[in-house]
Amino acid sequence: MDMDGDWPLPRPKTLFRNERLPAGSLLTRQSTIASTFSFLATPVVAEAVQRAKALSTTSDAEGFHQLRVAFRKLRALFWAYSPWLGEEATAQAVEEFKRLAAVAGGTRDWDIAGDLLKAAQESRASIELLVAAAREKRAQAVAHSQAMIRSDEVEAFLNDVLLRAQTTLQSRCSDLPIQAFAEERVRLAQRALRKRSRRAARSETAHEEDLHDVRKAGKKLRYLLEFFQPVIKGGHGRTIKKLTSVQNKLGQFNDIAASEALIRSASFDEVPHPVVLESLQWLEKQKHRRMRAASRRVRAIAG
């Protein structure tokens, strides 16, 4: 499973005040930069608030995962609009999105690590004692996420940061059309992905950091294409499909690399060290296998 799997953009439910899109319309190339931001941000914020409220009383791993993805999509959107929002305002919002995403992701990370340990157990590279310890770590992650993500605070923060952003955009670019701006931001994201892919493809086996950089750049580009597809030239459905395929391979590698790092950094007082070591060795072998597959896919897009 990909820790950062796809999350379809929900349909907008409401629009911010002062929205200038014609009633009942979708995005068009004549939409303004400011109105497009409101149109795109509103459903993502609604999803994040809904997930945060639900997770205050439940421990659904997929819910935590989708909350993390929502914050990552907001990061991409704020990056896209950063030329008009300003560097400082963008950095402050993005930093909080990153923090909330990390807190939300702890439960999902332990779910994936636990699944991998179960697979190791089937290969006799782990035992139930370690699998049970991972379940306990998962329970601790749930408690931490619920304590740190208070739905009323998340809702207040998101409403505030987006209202500030909307006010800024209305004052700076309320009459500027979206198309040229969106195409330029997509081009920059494409350039970044191409640069990172080529760097990762230089060696026969890419370094973990290089693959991680490709993965992040690919996600940003895919999010922007999903956001801006109605207003930019050319059909990008094939590109999104290709990016999703590459991300799946990179996600499989990331799952096991992240799980290995998670288990290495954790303490398992009740589990014999040789058991943990054997599981880590199994994960290491699986990681290299998935790294080779991910590297081949990255070399293909770099070319």
Side-chain angles (χ1 to χ4, degrees):
M1 293 179 287
D2 182 359
M3 285 183 178
D4 303 309
D6 291 338
W7 172 62
L9 290 173
R11 301 289 295 180
K13 297 178 182 178
T14 59
L15 298 177
F16 289 128
R17 291 173 297 174
N18 301 322
E19 177 56 57
R20 296 189 178 184
L21 287 174
S25 73
L26 297 177
L27 293 186
T28 70
R29 294 174 184 176
Q30 287 70 46
S31 301
T32 68
I33 294 174
S35 66
T36 301
F37 174 84
S38 301
F39 187 87
L40 295 174
T42 299
V44 186
V45 168
E47 177 76 9
V49 171
Q50 178 185 349
R51 294 287 184 183
K53 288 180 178 178
L55 292 172
S56 63
T57 56
T58 66
S59 60
D60 175 49
E62 185 63 16
F64 280 113
H65 170 56
Q66 299 295 3
L67 179 58
R68 175 167 63 175
V69 174
F71 287 130
R72 287 175 172 173
K73 285 184 177 289
L74 287 172
R75 283 173 56 189
L77 193 62
F78 268 69
W79 176 86
Y81 283 85
S82 59
W84 291 107
L85 292 174
E87 185 176 337
E88 183 178 356
T90 301
Q92 289 176 349
V94 165
E95 190 62 30
E96 184 63 7
F97 294 150
K98 285 178 66 175
R99 186 190 71 82
L100 290 169
V103 174
T107 299
R108 171 74 167 183
D109 291 350
W110 275 111
D111 272 319
I112 292 176
D115 287 342
L116 286 167
L117 288 174
K118 289 178 184 177
Q121 188 178 4
E122 293 174 2
S123 300
R124 298 185 178 182
S126 185
I127 61 173
E128 175 58 31
L129 191 60
L130 182 56
V131 175
R135 285 197 294 267
E136 177 58 29
K137 295 291 185 183
R138 193 258 190 196
Q140 294 171 8
V142 169
H144 176 70
S145 296
Q146 290 176 334
M148 297 297 292
I149 298 178
R150 300 183 183 277
S151 59
D152 55 343
E153 294 177 358
V154 169
E155 184 172 13
F157 160 68
L158 290 176
N159 285 338
D160 178 67
V161 75
L162 292 178
L163 181 59
R164 288 173 183 268
Q166 181 194 4
T167 301
T168 299
L169 294 173
Q170 289 287 358
S171 68
R172 296 178 178 177
C173 52
S174 60
D175 298 321
L176 298 179
I178 185 63
Q179 183 178 352
F181 173 76
E183 289 176 345
E184 175 61 20
R185 300 309 284 169
V186 167
R187 275 196 296 271
L188 286 175
Q190 288 173 326
R191 192 179 305 162
L193 175 59
R194 188 161 50 246
K195 180 179 178 181
R196 294 181 181 187
S197 298
R198 288 175 177 173
R199 183 172 61 197
R202 286 173 189 161
S203 59
E204 183 65 23
T205 302
H207 297 292
E208 289 187 37
E209 284 189 13
D210 291 336
L211 291 177
H212 186 56
D213 286 344
V214 172
R215 181 169 156 272
K216 290 190 296 183
K219 282 190 173 296
K220 178 187 286 185
L221 175 58
R222 196 184 84 229
Y223 293 161
L224 294 187
L225 288 174
E226 289 173 349
F227 279 129
F228 292 132
Q229 190 171 10
V231 300
I232 57 181
K233 292 179 180 178
H236 294 276
R238 182 178 297 180
T239 302
I240 292 173
K241 185 176 180 180
K242 183 177 180 181
L243 285 170
T244 300
S245 176
V246 174
Q247 290 298 316
N248 286 339
K249 283 295 182 186
L250 289 169
Q252 290 169 9
F253 163 69
N254 180 75
D255 284 356
I256 204 160
S259 294
E260 181 197 18
L262 193 65
I263 293 167
R264 284 190 187 281
S265 65
S267 58
F268 300 97
D269 296 334
E270 304 300 321
V271 183
H273 180 68
V275 172
V276 179
L277 184 60
E278 185 176 3
S279 294
L280 286 171
Q281 290 171 342
W282 183 87
L283 287 169
E284 181 78 16
K285 291 179 182 177
Q286 299 301 312
K287 183 179 74 172
H288 286 301
R289 180 177 61 82
R290 294 188 183 185
M291 181 186 286
R292 287 193 295 271
S295 297
R296 286 194 295 271
R297 192 61 61 89
V298 168
R299 284 195 294 274
I301 64 171

